[in-house]
Amino acid sequence: MKRMTRVALITSGGDCQGLNAAIRGVGKALYERLDRVEIYGMYDGYRGLIECDYKFMEPKDFSGILTRGGTILGTSRQRYIPGKDIVDEEGRSLLPDMLHTYNRLNLDCLVIMGGNGTQKSAKLLMDAGMNVITLPKTIDNDIYGTDTTFGFQSAVDIATNVIDYLHTTACSHGRIFVVELMGRDAGWLTLSAGIASGADVILIPEIPYDIEKVAEVIRARKRGGHGFSIVACAEGAVSIKDQKLDEEAARRKKESSPYSTVSYAIAAELEKLTGQDTRVTVPGHYQRGGPPCPYDRALATQFGTAAADLIIKQQYGRMVALQNSVITSIPLEEAASRTKFLPVDHPMIQVARDIGISLGD
Ligand code: F6P
């Protein structure tokens, strides 16, 4: 009798488009390729593993979900102590509970789909003795070792569409629009959507901005006959002045700021410096919602089937990745070792500069 393979699927951290396509890719490929397989869908990310809360997934569970946004398994964030532990509210390690479920279900492997934080926490599960394969998902595109993550392109499409729509109203009223995009401390999403939508200024965390220079770009546009301007601003954008503050001073400044996010502060300063009517748009989680774009559907499917392949070959402790258009995998410890910020010499940054987009520096 052929050996039984038991796999648990986990979607962890913030959701994004393409998670269900990836779940489907893993599940369909395993049922196609193995004679004997049991697949468990753990509910709400690591919570399902901690509390042994799961759904046994049959082949039919992997149908009809390709185009659905979010995750059919649910997701959650756990408290993660960098490089050390995953803990509950009281600081108690949750790794023993996870290992307990892993052993109780007699699992061969966990397939964990997650962002940057999840890659790091998945490494702790691996170190605790569990076989782990991870898939890189996030709209931030900040996972080290992969050219892109699923979810990213869908978010770029949405963010681009938001700015396209704002263009018409900005133009009618001759206003400045500051559009705040997600991405945490990485500027991939803002740069890509900013270029795709023809933003006039793109502010990313990797290149601190000088507000005077941004204001001058806008004034120059007005002198040149362009009464409106679009500033695509990453949620993690920082001014040259603020970048010099130490952690404590930055925290105090943030706490005493009258503005809820960076884009409101930028808008207020620009209005004062240019005298132009200014508005803020923050699409927020809208960028993570809705169906995956075709690129993400295909990418997540490929990542999912690659994970199934690694399981069949019993190659654990790896993250599936896309490198130079080829689906491959890298050691999880490498993927979890750092965050992939946008290099300041990235060709896309040069492209932006070449067509006259200001990076605020
Ligand atoms: O990491 C994905 C992301 O959407 C970031 O771009 C954003 O900063 C964060 O998650 C928002 O987190 P939450 O969903 O917890 O509000």
Side-chain angles (χ1 to χ4, degrees):
M1 179 115 113
K2 290 245 173 69
R3 179 181 163 274
M4 175 68 82
T5 301
R6 295 186 179 84
V7 176
L9 306 182
I10 295 174
T11 54
S12 171
D15 71 345
C16 73
Q17 302 90 338
L19 279 165
N20 292 324
I23 290 170
R24 173 179 174 271
V26 183
K28 283 200 177 233
L30 286 177
Y31 273 118
E32 261 318 297
R33 294 183 57 188
L34 291 174
D35 291 323
R36 301 188 70 217
V37 61
E38 283 178 358
I39 305 179
Y40 301 87
M42 311 311 290
Y43 285 125
D44 304 335
Y46 289 137
R47 189 197 64 75
L49 192 62
I50 294 160
E51 297 174 12
C52 200
D53 187 13
Y54 63 86
K55 168 194 172 71
F56 180 75
M57 298 185 81
E58 299 171 51
K60 69 173 174 44
D61 292 314
F62 298 103
S63 289
I65 60 171
L66 173 65
T67 63
R68 203 187 301 176
T71 160
I72 57 166
L73 296 176
T75 185
S76 63
R77 293 193 201 278
Q78 301 296 325
R79 291 179 69 194
Y80 166 70
I81 304 174
K84 292 205 171 71
D85 214 341
I86 299 167
V87 295
D88 67 10
E89 292 301 307
E90 279 83 47
R92 185 181 66 90
S93 176
L94 295 166
L95 286 167
D97 295 353
M98 295 197 232
L99 189 59
H100 181 75
T101 301
Y102 185 90
N103 290 330
R104 181 170 151 191
L105 296 178
N106 207 4
L107 295 173
D108 291 282
C109 181
L110 302 171
V111 177
I112 304 176
M113 297 159 230
N116 211 13
T118 296
Q119 302 301 327
K120 293 182 168 73
S121 51
K123 157 100 173 29
L124 293 180
L125 272 64
M126 180 178 93
D127 294 343
M130 293 170 249
N131 291 329
V132 169
I133 290 167
T134 65
L135 301 186
K137 71 96 235 227
T138 167
I139 65 165
D140 304 340
N141 194 32
D142 61 351
I143 300 179
Y144 181 75
T146 186
D147 295 345
T148 192
T149 54
F150 63 85
F152 173 63
Q153 204 54 58
S154 302
V156 170
D157 286 2
I158 292 172
T160 301
N161 194 251
V162 167
I163 300 179
D164 283 350
Y165 276 47
L166 291 175
H167 251 111
T168 62
T169 175
C171 186
S172 310
H173 289 265
R175 283 171 169 159
I176 301 170
F177 266 83
V178 181
V179 191
E180 182 177 306
L181 302 176
M182 279 187 167
R184 270 184 215 281
D185 298 323
W188 298 99
L189 176 54
T190 303
L191 182 67
S192 300
I195 290 177
S197 61
D200 307 299
V201 179
I202 298 177
L203 304 179
I204 56 173
E206 292 87 346
I207 302 180
Y209 64 86
D210 178 341
I211 198 70
E212 286 290 347
K213 291 201 172 145
V214 177
E216 184 44 34
V217 168
I218 291 170
R219 284 191 291 254
R221 274 179 55 77
K222 189 145 197 199
R223 288 195 297 274
H226 301 289
F228 74 96
S229 288
I230 304 278
V231 179
C233 161
E235 62 180 349
V238 63
S239 67
I240 292 173
K241 248 193 320 193
D242 286 355
Q243 195 215 15
K244 293 187 181 132
L245 300 176
D246 61 32
E247 217 175 294
E248 180 53 24
R251 193 186 55 78
R252 264 187 280 119
K253 182 163 183 198
K254 201 171 169 194
E255 272 173 17
S256 61
S257 168
Y259 306 109
S260 52
T261 64
V262 63
S263 56
Y264 287 94
I266 289 173
E269 285 183 287
L270 289 179
E271 197 160 57
K272 204 161 75 191
L273 291 168
T274 64
Q276 253 183 276
D277 204 14
T278 305
R279 294 289 186 274
V280 173
T281 297
V282 184
H285 293 78
Y286 181 65
Q287 293 161 95
R288 266 174 29 196
C293 67
Y295 178 86
D296 278 338
R297 294 177 200 182
L299 182 69
T301 302
Q302 291 175 82
F303 279 172
T305 57
D309 195 54
L310 289 173
I311 292 167
I312 291 164
K313 292 177 178 152
Q314 298 183 30
Q315 290 176 3
Y316 305 123
R318 303 188 72 77
M319 181 187 82
V320 177
L322 181 77
Q323 292 183 346
N324 301 320
S325 305
V326 175
I327 303 286
T328 179
S329 69
I330 62 167
L332 178 55
E333 57 193 354
E334 207 180 298
S337 67
R338 61 189 114 148
T339 301
K340 186 186 74 178
F341 296 111
L342 188 47
V344 292
D345 59 353
H346 193 281
M348 288 267 283
I349 290 181
Q350 193 52 47
V351 165
R353 294 194 196 281
D354 285 349
I355 58 165
I357 296 175
S358 164
L359 279 295
D361 57 342

